[in-house]
Amino acid sequence: MKRLSEERTKILFEKLCKYIGSNIKLLIERPDGIYCFREKKDRVFYVSEKVLKLAETVGPDHLISLGTCFGKFTKSNKFRLNITALNYLAPYAQCKIWLKPSAEQQFLYGHHIKKSGLGRISESTEKYQGVVIFSMSDIPLGFGVAAKSTAECKHSDPLAIVCFHQADIGEYIRAEEDLL
Amino acid sequence: MDIVAEVLKKSAETAEKYKPITVTKHLDLEYDVGSLLAVDKNELDTKAINKNKNDYLLSLTRDNVQLLLNKVWDLPTERVDETVVVRLPPSTFVLPRSKPVPRPKPLTKWQQFALEKGIKKKKKPKLSWDERLKKWVPLYGFKRSIAEKEKDWVIEVPQNADPFEDQFEKRKIAKQERVAKNELQRLHNIAKAQNIKIPRTGLLNPDVSSSKDLQAAVTVARSSTASLGKFQDKLPKEKEARGISAITPGASRKRKLPPVPATQEKEENLAVLNSILNKKPKLDIEKAVNRQINQEETERSTEKKTRKPGGNKINKSKGGKKPKSGKGKSAGRKRR
């Protein structure tokens, strides 16, 4: 368990920036104590200072996880967000997509979102921006990358992909052993 | 009668002088006649030892030697040059080593690699039949080199090669290079086996060096400026060589960051975040265009809604219907 290097912090924030923009500040500056990012085996964890102090008493070989896993760094030093980060992405998301109830299952099985499944999309979504996916009843389902901007969405045909799938809460079942 | 008594007396005297050849023991000794060894497992008489150690040990040894010699006499004897000789059987007792078992020879780098990969050495025949020369050619040695010379008396100049280049010379140099490399590797292996540190040779020859060597050379070269490579640019995907941080003072080492108080860490994080947020371009053209399109569309839709009651009626009566053929001269498609 170690602090993120400056380079890696930058990579992490750049990634988070795509989803929650300047709201990252709210993750760092919290009224309920100090929270920080820690790295273990290339995985990045978001932990409160209190939990961190407790976790430091556990030997590195025995410690598997602490706080919330945000994702991991790949071998080529890119950052991949995990579905476990959704709890912190959803409330601060800048761009959202709401899914029609009929398209929810498709998305939860790991498919991209088609125009036909699109219920609502937040205004001024840019192309290739990170978006958080909600059901119509405002339950966060996952996140992805917008394949089309809002304006383009209006004119595309119903089978065109609107959002690329990145992570969904179905992974809690599908990839149970990979999640920390 | 007198003689008999004398003889008996004499024999008694000799019997007193020489101890008997039969010795009784509680436990039989263990013998290894081949190495003239007898092991006595009987208990020592502690009382006798305390009384007179030397005499006791002497008598004990005599008895045991007597027993051993009895065994030797059991073996078939021969007579060689007026002396009685015994051929001892092969020894069965395993003597322990006086020195430790020698360590296995450290493997060379290739041997280690071959062991890991399961590469077995194939035995090559010492002589092989050469079809072109019509004779047996050895695997190596001077006869081999003569045969090679005989075979390659002419070399084709490869395409794109300099026609005035001496191909024989080139081949000779390549061979020398290979031999030198092998020698270097041999020395490396010796150094590795004896755990000797050898100085770095740097980049020997771009043809024989591995990509690892090249990477190390690049990393060292970059840090070899007056400012330890601080102002040297990096290529986009360039990686730093590993294991040379000791000789490249400017190279960044992977090290665990020192612990800092949480508030300071928070501030550092905020600084990084601010640098990212500030870096974003103020004017995103695509976003602006999209916004413009969006605005126009909304405007148009609101206009439509407001214009519906009044304006549309006139429009409908005027141009709502298709122009029919024959009615107007200019309207409609011309037919031929």
Side-chain angles (χ1 to χ4, degrees):
Chain A
M1 189 173 49
K2 56 188 171 188
R3 277 169 58 203
L4 286 168
S5 67
E6 197 168 321
E7 188 198 358
R8 288 199 152 183
T9 313
K10 210 171 171 185
I11 295 168
L12 169 69
F13 284 171
E14 270 168 3
K15 187 69 152 191
L16 285 176
C17 214
K18 287 178 182 167
Y19 294 86
I20 58 178
S22 55
N23 286 341
I24 306 174
K25 270 182 189 166
L26 299 174
L27 285 180
I28 301 167
E29 280 180 320
R30 281 170 65 139
D32 57 336
I34 298 165
Y35 276 69
C36 50
F37 291 97
R38 282 288 178 280
E39 174 192 19
K40 181 171 169 57
K41 278 187 165 179
D42 282 350
R43 283 178 191 273
V44 175
F45 296 93
Y46 179 63
V47 228
S48 87
E49 194 70 20
K50 286 175 201 162
V51 175
L52 184 68
K53 267 180 190 151
L54 294 175
E56 270 162 2
T57 59
V58 182
D61 292 344
H62 299 290
L63 188 72
I64 292 171
S65 174
L66 69 155
T68 309
C69 179
F70 258 44
K72 62 182 179 184
F73 280 100
T74 60
K75 294 269 162 46
S76 51
N77 217 14
K78 287 173 189 133
F79 186 73
R80 288 260 167 86
L81 277 167
N82 260 2
I83 184 59
T84 39
L86 184 66
N87 279 351
Y88 293 99
L89 294 186
Y92 303 123
Q94 290 197 319
C95 293
K96 301 175 182 177
I97 284 179
W98 286 267
L99 283 185
K100 285 177 187 164
S102 56
E104 274 174 26
Q105 197 188 38
Q106 278 293 306
F107 177 70
L108 292 184
Y109 282 179
H111 297 281
H112 301 312
I113 299 171
K114 296 204 173 87
K115 166 80 185 300
S116 56
L118 188 71
R120 210 142 64 90
I121 184 166
S122 51
E123 210 56 52
S124 77
T125 305
E126 287 167 55
K127 206 175 183 182
Y128 304 134
Q129 199 189 1
V131 287
V132 178
I133 319 291
F134 289 83
S135 71
M136 272 315 204
S137 49
D138 263 346
I139 299 166
L141 297 177
F143 48 88
V145 166
K148 287 188 162 60
S149 64
T150 314
E152 278 176 316
C153 275
K154 283 179 184 167
H155 303 297
S156 57
D157 58 316
L159 284 178
I161 290 171
V162 167
C163 171
F164 298 119
H165 166 274
Q166 276 185 333
D168 62 80
I169 51 173
E171 270 170 46
Y172 280 113
I173 294 168
R174 272 185 282 130
E176 201 181 348
E177 61 267 29
D178 297 336
L179 293 177
L180 281 184
Chain B
M1 205 56 205
D2 211 22
I3 298 164
V4 172
E6 209 168 290
V7 168
L8 279 175
K9 196 183 169 189
K10 218 173 192 178
S11 69
E13 262 176 24
T14 51
E16 224 172 82
K17 199 172 171 188
Y18 299 108
K19 286 179 179 161
I21 64 160
T22 53
V23 181
T24 51
K25 289 269 182 184
H26 287 301
L27 296 173
D28 278 341
L29 302 193
E30 283 173 14
Y31 301 99
D32 177 24
V33 186
S35 52
L36 292 179
L37 173 80
V39 180
D40 188 359
K41 285 193 172 168
N42 289 301
E43 215 173 326
L44 292 173
D45 190 356
T46 43
K47 264 186 192 171
I49 285 181
N50 288 339
K51 214 184 229 172
N52 198 342
K53 200 194 277 173
N54 281 343
D55 283 349
Y56 174 72
L57 286 178
L58 198 64
S59 70
L60 184 70
T61 314
R62 190 218 77 87
D63 288 352
N64 286 342
V65 168
Q66 179 65 57
L67 283 169
L68 181 64
L69 284 178
N70 287 353
K71 280 277 170 196
V72 172
W73 277 108
D74 285 349
L75 297 170
T77 54
E78 291 170 38
R79 212 168 249 284
V80 179
D81 294 343
E82 303 299 313
T83 44
V84 184
V85 170
V86 151
R87 191 171 292 279
L88 294 176
S91 68
T92 53
F93 188 77
V94 182
L95 275 171
R97 289 181 71 98
S98 66
K99 288 190 174 155
V101 182
R103 277 195 198 141
K105 240 183 179 178
L107 297 176
T108 63
K109 210 165 179 184
W110 163 252
Q111 281 169 335
Q112 213 163 12
F113 178 77
L115 199 72
E116 269 170 29
K117 297 279 176 188
I119 300 167
K120 293 255 166 63
K121 206 173 181 178
K122 269 184 217 155
K123 195 147 193 184
K124 287 180 206 160
K126 275 204 165 172
L127 284 174
S128 57
W129 178 254
D130 197 308
E131 275 298 325
R132 222 192 298 168
L133 296 178
K134 302 282 178 211
K135 68 177 176 189
W136 289 96
V137 176
L139 191 61
Y140 52 85
F142 76 99
K143 278 188 179 170
R144 169 78 178 205
S145 75
I146 288 169
E148 293 270 282
K149 256 181 214 165
E150 226 174 296
K151 222 162 124 184
D152 296 330
W153 59 276
V154 62
I155 305 174
E156 205 177 323
V157 176
Q159 272 189 337
N160 311 329
D162 179 14
F164 299 107
E165 199 179 25
D166 188 357
Q167 294 298 322
F168 288 101
E169 190 65 29
K170 202 177 160 191
R171 196 175 275 198
K172 203 174 156 191
I173 287 169
K175 166 98 180 170
Q176 280 171 353
E177 206 67 65
R178 283 200 304 274
V179 170
K181 189 191 170 200
N182 192 32
E183 175 68 8
L184 192 73
Q185 282 175 336
R186 189 181 71 85
L187 294 175
H188 269 302
N189 277 326
I190 291 170
K192 205 178 121 200
Q194 295 178 352
N195 215 358
I196 299 168
K197 266 204 170 175
I198 40 170
R200 250 159 216 292
T201 44
L203 209 54
L204 294 172
N205 181 352
D207 292 334
V208 288
S209 338
S210 63
S211 66
K212 225 177 182 178
D213 294 337
L214 293 172
Q215 202 179 38
V218 168
T219 311
V220 171
R222 197 172 346 92
S223 71
S224 307
T225 63
S227 49
L228 300 176
K230 198 179 173 187
F231 304 106
Q232 242 58 31
D233 287 336
K234 258 187 185 179
L235 289 172
K237 281 183 180 173
E238 195 177 319
K239 283 179 189 165
E240 267 180 8
R242 284 185 170 187
I244 52 160
S245 50
I247 55 162
T248 48
S252 63
R253 284 173 221 181
K254 265 195 182 177
R255 198 188 283 164
K256 208 174 167 182
L257 290 171
V260 291
T263 47
Q264 194 190 327
E265 192 186 333
K266 195 175 89 177
E267 255 144 49
E268 280 174 15
N269 278 347
L270 279 175
V272 172
L273 182 60
N274 280 333
S275 75
I276 291 170
L277 292 176
N278 292 340
K279 207 171 68 181
K280 276 201 165 179
K282 292 274 171 3
L283 180 71
D284 191 340
I285 292 173
E286 200 179 337
K287 197 175 180 182
V289 167
N290 278 340
R291 190 169 286 174
Q292 182 64 29
I293 290 169
N294 196 27
Q295 212 173 337
E296 276 173 15
E297 273 178 2
T298 47
E299 257 173 39
R300 218 177 295 159
S301 66
T302 49
E303 212 172 297
K304 257 184 191 174
K305 274 175 195 167
T306 51
R307 256 167 64 177
K308 241 175 194 175
N312 270 5
K313 264 180 189 173
I314 311 155
N315 235 1
K316 253 183 189 175
S317 61
K318 205 178 183 183
K321 279 178 184 174
K322 271 185 180 175
K324 277 180 181 172
S325 59
K327 263 192 177 177
K329 270 173 189 174
S330 59
R333 197 151 59 98
K334 254 187 185 174
R335 297 201 178 185
R336 285 180 186 174

Short mmCIF file of all heavy atoms in Angstrom, two decimals, chain A residues 2-37:
data_model
loop_
_atom_site.label_atom_id
_atom_site.label_comp_id
_atom_site.label_asym_id
_atom_site.label_seq_id
_atom_site.Cartn_x
_atom_site.Cartn_y
_atom_site.Cartn_z
N LYS A 2 0.69 2.08 -0.99
CA LYS A 2 1.52 3.28 -1.06
C LYS A 2 0.74 4.44 -1.62
O LYS A 2 -0.33 4.25 -2.22
CB LYS A 2 2.76 3.00 -1.90
CG LYS A 2 2.46 2.51 -3.29
CD LYS A 2 3.73 2.07 -3.97
CE LYS A 2 3.41 1.39 -5.27
NZ LYS A 2 4.53 0.77 -5.92
N ARG A 3 1.30 5.61 -1.47
CA ARG A 3 0.67 6.79 -2.04
C ARG A 3 0.85 6.75 -3.55
O ARG A 3 1.80 6.20 -4.08
CB ARG A 3 1.37 8.04 -1.51
CG ARG A 3 0.87 8.46 -0.17
CD ARG A 3 1.78 9.52 0.37
NE ARG A 3 1.87 10.66 -0.52
CZ ARG A 3 2.89 11.51 -0.54
NH1 ARG A 3 3.91 11.32 0.25
NH2 ARG A 3 2.88 12.54 -1.34
N LEU A 4 -0.09 7.37 -4.23
CA LEU A 4 0.04 7.45 -5.68
C LEU A 4 1.14 8.46 -6.02
O LEU A 4 1.22 9.51 -5.40
CB LEU A 4 -1.27 7.92 -6.30
CG LEU A 4 -2.40 6.92 -6.34
CD1 LEU A 4 -3.68 7.62 -6.70
CD2 LEU A 4 -2.12 5.85 -7.34
N SER A 5 1.94 8.10 -6.99
CA SER A 5 2.94 9.06 -7.44
C SER A 5 2.22 10.20 -8.16
O SER A 5 1.06 10.08 -8.55
CB SER A 5 3.93 8.37 -8.37
OG SER A 5 3.30 8.01 -9.55
N GLU A 6 2.96 11.28 -8.35
CA GLU A 6 2.32 12.45 -8.95
C GLU A 6 1.80 12.13 -10.36
O GLU A 6 0.71 12.54 -10.74
CB GLU A 6 3.33 13.59 -9.01
CG GLU A 6 2.65 14.92 -9.22
CD GLU A 6 3.60 16.07 -8.98
OE1 GLU A 6 4.41 15.99 -8.04
OE2 GLU A 6 3.54 17.03 -9.74
N GLU A 7 2.62 11.34 -11.06
CA GLU A 7 2.24 10.97 -12.44
C GLU A 7 0.92 10.20 -12.43
O GLU A 7 0.02 10.46 -13.20
CB GLU A 7 3.37 10.13 -13.02
CG GLU A 7 3.22 9.83 -14.49
CD GLU A 7 4.09 8.67 -14.91
OE1 GLU A 7 4.84 8.13 -14.07
OE2 GLU A 7 4.00 8.29 -16.10
N ARG A 8 0.85 9.24 -11.52
CA ARG A 8 -0.34 8.38 -11.48
C ARG A 8 -1.55 9.15 -10.96
O ARG A 8 -2.67 8.90 -11.41
CB ARG A 8 -0.06 7.15 -10.61
CG ARG A 8 0.88 6.20 -11.30
CD ARG A 8 0.81 4.85 -10.71
NE ARG A 8 1.17 3.88 -11.74
CZ ARG A 8 1.15 2.57 -11.59
NH1 ARG A 8 0.77 2.06 -10.46
NH2 ARG A 8 1.49 1.77 -12.57
N THR A 9 -1.31 10.05 -10.02
CA THR A 9 -2.43 10.87 -9.53
C THR A 9 -3.02 11.64 -10.69
O THR A 9 -4.24 11.77 -10.82
CB THR A 9 -1.91 11.86 -8.47
OG1 THR A 9 -1.09 11.17 -7.56
CG2 THR A 9 -3.06 12.49 -7.72
N LYS A 10 -2.14 12.15 -11.53
CA LYS A 10 -2.59 12.94 -12.68
C LYS A 10 -3.43 12.08 -13.61
O LYS A 10 -4.51 12.50 -14.06
CB LYS A 10 -1.36 13.46 -13.42
CG LYS A 10 -1.61 14.77 -14.09
CD LYS A 10 -0.30 15.32 -14.60
CE LYS A 10 -0.54 16.51 -15.47
NZ LYS A 10 0.69 17.00 -16.07
N ILE A 11 -2.93 10.86 -13.87
CA ILE A 11 -3.67 9.96 -14.77
C ILE A 11 -5.05 9.64 -14.19
O ILE A 11 -6.06 9.66 -14.90
CB ILE A 11 -2.87 8.67 -15.00
CG1 ILE A 11 -1.58 8.98 -15.75
CG2 ILE A 11 -3.68 7.67 -15.79
CD1 ILE A 11 -0.60 7.85 -15.76
N LEU A 12 -5.06 9.39 -12.90
CA LEU A 12 -6.32 9.05 -12.23
C LEU A 12 -7.30 10.21 -12.31
O LEU A 12 -8.48 10.03 -12.67
CB LEU A 12 -6.03 8.69 -10.77
CG LEU A 12 -7.23 8.56 -9.83
CD1 LEU A 12 -8.05 7.34 -10.20
CD2 LEU A 12 -6.79 8.46 -8.39
N PHE A 13 -6.82 11.42 -12.02
CA PHE A 13 -7.73 12.57 -12.00
C PHE A 13 -8.21 12.90 -13.41
O PHE A 13 -9.35 13.32 -13.60
CB PHE A 13 -7.02 13.78 -11.39
CG PHE A 13 -6.91 13.69 -9.88
CD1 PHE A 13 -6.15 14.60 -9.18
CD2 PHE A 13 -7.58 12.72 -9.19
CE1 PHE A 13 -6.04 14.52 -7.80
CE2 PHE A 13 -7.49 12.63 -7.82
CZ PHE A 13 -6.71 13.53 -7.12
N GLU A 14 -7.33 12.73 -14.37
CA GLU A 14 -7.75 13.00 -15.75
C GLU A 14 -8.90 12.08 -16.14
O GLU A 14 -9.82 12.47 -16.86
CB GLU A 14 -6.57 12.82 -16.70
CG GLU A 14 -5.81 14.11 -16.89
CD GLU A 14 -4.49 13.93 -17.58
OE1 GLU A 14 -4.18 12.78 -17.98
OE2 GLU A 14 -3.76 14.92 -17.72
N LYS A 15 -8.80 10.82 -15.67
CA LYS A 15 -9.86 9.87 -15.98
C LYS A 15 -11.15 10.26 -15.27
O LYS A 15 -12.22 10.29 -15.88
CB LYS A 15 -9.40 8.47 -15.55
CG LYS A 15 -10.33 7.37 -15.97
CD LYS A 15 -10.30 7.18 -17.45
CE LYS A 15 -10.63 5.78 -17.84
NZ LYS A 15 -10.36 5.51 -19.24
N LEU A 16 -11.04 10.55 -13.99
CA LEU A 16 -12.23 10.88 -13.21
C LEU A 16 -12.87 12.16 -13.74
O LEU A 16 -14.09 12.33 -13.71
CB LEU A 16 -11.85 11.07 -11.74
CG LEU A 16 -11.58 9.80 -10.95
CD1 LEU A 16 -11.13 10.14 -9.55
CD2 LEU A 16 -12.80 8.91 -10.90
N CYS A 17 -12.02 13.04 -14.25
CA CYS A 17 -12.47 14.33 -14.77
C CYS A 17 -13.47 14.15 -15.92
O CYS A 17 -14.37 14.97 -16.10
CB CYS A 17 -11.26 15.10 -15.27
SG CYS A 17 -11.41 16.84 -15.01
N LYS A 18 -13.29 13.06 -16.67
CA LYS A 18 -14.18 12.83 -17.80
C LYS A 18 -15.60 12.54 -17.32
O LYS A 18 -16.55 12.72 -18.06
CB LYS A 18 -13.68 11.64 -18.62
CG LYS A 18 -12.46 11.98 -19.42
CD LYS A 18 -11.98 10.76 -20.18
CE LYS A 18 -10.72 11.11 -20.94
NZ LYS A 18 -10.06 9.90 -21.43
N TYR A 19 -15.73 12.02 -16.11
CA TYR A 19 -17.04 11.63 -15.62
C TYR A 19 -17.66 12.70 -14.73
O TYR A 19 -18.82 13.01 -14.85
CB TYR A 19 -16.94 10.31 -14.85
CG TYR A 19 -16.58 9.17 -15.74
CD1 TYR A 19 -15.25 8.89 -16.00
CD2 TYR A 19 -17.55 8.39 -16.35
CE1 TYR A 19 -14.90 7.85 -16.84
CE2 TYR A 19 -17.21 7.35 -17.19
CZ TYR A 19 -15.88 7.09 -17.42
OH TYR A 19 -15.54 6.07 -18.25
N ILE A 20 -16.83 13.21 -13.80
CA ILE A 20 -17.43 14.10 -12.81
C ILE A 20 -16.85 15.51 -12.85
O ILE A 20 -17.22 16.34 -12.03
CB ILE A 20 -17.33 13.50 -11.38
CG1 ILE A 20 -15.88 13.23 -11.02
CG2 ILE A 20 -18.14 12.24 -11.27
CD1 ILE A 20 -15.73 12.70 -9.61
N GLY A 21 -15.99 15.76 -13.79
CA GLY A 21 -15.48 17.12 -13.98
C GLY A 21 -14.81 17.68 -12.75
O GLY A 21 -14.04 16.98 -12.07
N SER A 22 -15.15 18.89 -12.43
CA SER A 22 -14.49 19.55 -11.30
C SER A 22 -15.04 19.06 -9.96
O SER A 22 -14.60 19.51 -8.91
CB SER A 22 -14.64 21.06 -11.41
OG SER A 22 -16.00 21.37 -11.53
N ASN A 23 -16.01 18.14 -10.02
CA ASN A 23 -16.56 17.61 -8.77
C ASN A 23 -15.58 16.73 -8.02
O ASN A 23 -15.85 16.31 -6.90
CB ASN A 23 -17.83 16.81 -9.04
CG ASN A 23 -19.00 17.71 -9.37
OD1 ASN A 23 -18.95 18.90 -9.07
ND2 ASN A 23 -20.00 17.16 -10.01
N ILE A 24 -14.42 16.44 -8.65
CA ILE A 24 -13.40 15.65 -7.94
C ILE A 24 -13.01 16.35 -6.65
O ILE A 24 -12.67 15.72 -5.66
CB ILE A 24 -12.15 15.46 -8.82
CG1 ILE A 24 -12.52 14.87 -10.17
CG2 ILE A 24 -11.15 14.53 -8.15
CD1 ILE A 24 -11.37 14.79 -11.13
N LYS A 25 -13.09 17.67 -6.70
CA LYS A 25 -12.74 18.44 -5.51
C LYS A 25 -13.59 18.01 -4.32
O LYS A 25 -13.12 17.99 -3.18
CB LYS A 25 -12.98 19.93 -5.78
CG LYS A 25 -11.76 20.60 -6.34
CD LYS A 25 -12.03 22.05 -6.56
CE LYS A 25 -10.85 22.63 -7.33
NZ LYS A 25 -11.14 23.96 -7.86
N LEU A 26 -14.83 17.65 -4.61
CA LEU A 26 -15.72 17.23 -3.53
C LEU A 26 -15.31 15.88 -2.95
O LEU A 26 -15.62 15.56 -1.80
CB LEU A 26 -17.16 17.15 -4.04
CG LEU A 26 -17.73 18.47 -4.56
CD1 LEU A 26 -19.11 18.23 -5.15
CD2 LEU A 26 -17.80 19.49 -3.46
N LEU A 27 -14.60 15.08 -3.79
CA LEU A 27 -14.12 13.79 -3.28
C LEU A 27 -12.92 14.00 -2.36
O LEU A 27 -12.72 13.25 -1.41
CB LEU A 27 -13.71 12.89 -4.44
CG LEU A 27 -14.80 12.23 -5.27
CD1 LEU A 27 -14.17 11.38 -6.36
CD2 LEU A 27 -15.70 11.38 -4.42
N ILE A 28 -12.12 15.01 -2.69
CA ILE A 28 -10.90 15.23 -1.88
C ILE A 28 -11.23 16.04 -0.64
O ILE A 28 -10.78 15.72 0.46
CB ILE A 28 -9.84 15.93 -2.74
CG1 ILE A 28 -9.50 15.09 -3.97
CG2 ILE A 28 -8.58 16.16 -1.92
CD1 ILE A 28 -8.71 15.83 -5.00
N GLU A 29 -12.01 17.09 -0.85
CA GLU A 29 -12.36 17.94 0.29
C GLU A 29 -13.74 17.54 0.78
O GLU A 29 -14.75 17.97 0.21
CB GLU A 29 -12.36 19.41 -0.14
CG GLU A 29 -10.99 20.01 -0.21
CD GLU A 29 -11.04 21.46 -0.64
OE1 GLU A 29 -11.84 21.76 -1.54
OE2 GLU A 29 -10.28 22.26 -0.09
N ARG A 30 -13.75 16.74 1.81
CA ARG A 30 -15.05 16.29 2.31
C ARG A 30 -15.25 16.83 3.71
O ARG A 30 -14.30 16.89 4.49
CB ARG A 30 -15.12 14.77 2.32
CG ARG A 30 -15.42 14.20 0.94
CD ARG A 30 -15.24 12.73 0.94
NE ARG A 30 -16.21 12.07 1.81
CZ ARG A 30 -16.82 10.94 1.48
NH1 ARG A 30 -16.58 10.38 0.32
NH2 ARG A 30 -17.67 10.38 2.30
N PRO A 31 -16.47 17.18 4.03
CA PRO A 31 -16.71 17.71 5.37
C PRO A 31 -16.55 16.64 6.46
O PRO A 31 -16.26 16.95 7.60
CB PRO A 31 -18.14 18.24 5.31
CG PRO A 31 -18.77 17.51 4.17
CD PRO A 31 -17.67 17.23 3.20
N ASP A 32 -16.73 15.35 6.08
CA ASP A 32 -16.74 14.30 7.10
C ASP A 32 -15.36 13.65 7.26
O ASP A 32 -15.25 12.45 7.46
CB ASP A 32 -17.79 13.25 6.76
CG ASP A 32 -17.56 12.66 5.38
OD1 ASP A 32 -16.92 13.34 4.55
OD2 ASP A 32 -17.98 11.52 5.13
N GLY A 33 -14.32 14.44 7.14
CA GLY A 33 -12.99 13.88 7.35
C GLY A 33 -12.15 13.91 6.09
O GLY A 33 -12.63 14.31 5.03
N ILE A 34 -10.91 13.44 6.23
CA ILE A 34 -10.00 13.47 5.09
C ILE A 34 -10.04 12.13 4.38
O ILE A 34 -9.95 11.08 5.02
CB ILE A 34 -8.58 13.80 5.57
CG1 ILE A 34 -8.57 15.17 6.23
CG2 ILE A 34 -7.61 13.76 4.41
CD1 ILE A 34 -7.34 15.42 7.03
N TYR A 35 -10.16 12.19 3.09
CA TYR A 35 -10.13 10.97 2.28
C TYR A 35 -8.92 11.05 1.35
O TYR A 35 -8.54 12.13 0.90
CB TYR A 35 -11.41 10.84 1.45
CG TYR A 35 -12.55 10.21 2.22
CD1 TYR A 35 -13.14 10.90 3.26
CD2 TYR A 35 -13.01 8.95 1.91
CE1 TYR A 35 -14.18 10.34 3.97
CE2 TYR A 35 -14.04 8.37 2.62
CZ TYR A 35 -14.63 9.07 3.65
OH TYR A 35 -15.64 8.50 4.36
N CYS A 36 -8.33 9.91 1.06
CA CYS A 36 -7.16 9.93 0.17
C CYS A 36 -7.15 8.69 -0.72
O CYS A 36 -7.92 7.75 -0.53
CB CYS A 36 -5.88 10.05 0.97
SG CYS A 36 -5.78 8.86 2.28
N PHE A 37 -6.24 8.73 -1.68
CA PHE A 37 -6.11 7.62 -2.62
C PHE A 37 -4.87 6.81 -2.28
O PHE A 37 -3.81 7.37 -2.02
CB PHE A 37 -6.00 8.15 -4.05
CG PHE A 37 -7.26 8.77 -4.55
CD1 PHE A 37 -7.45 10.13 -4.50
CD2 PHE A 37 -8.27 7.97 -5.05
CE1 PHE A 37 -8.63 10.70 -4.95
CE2 PHE A 37 -9.45 8.52 -5.51
CZ PHE A 37 -9.63 9.89 -5.45
#
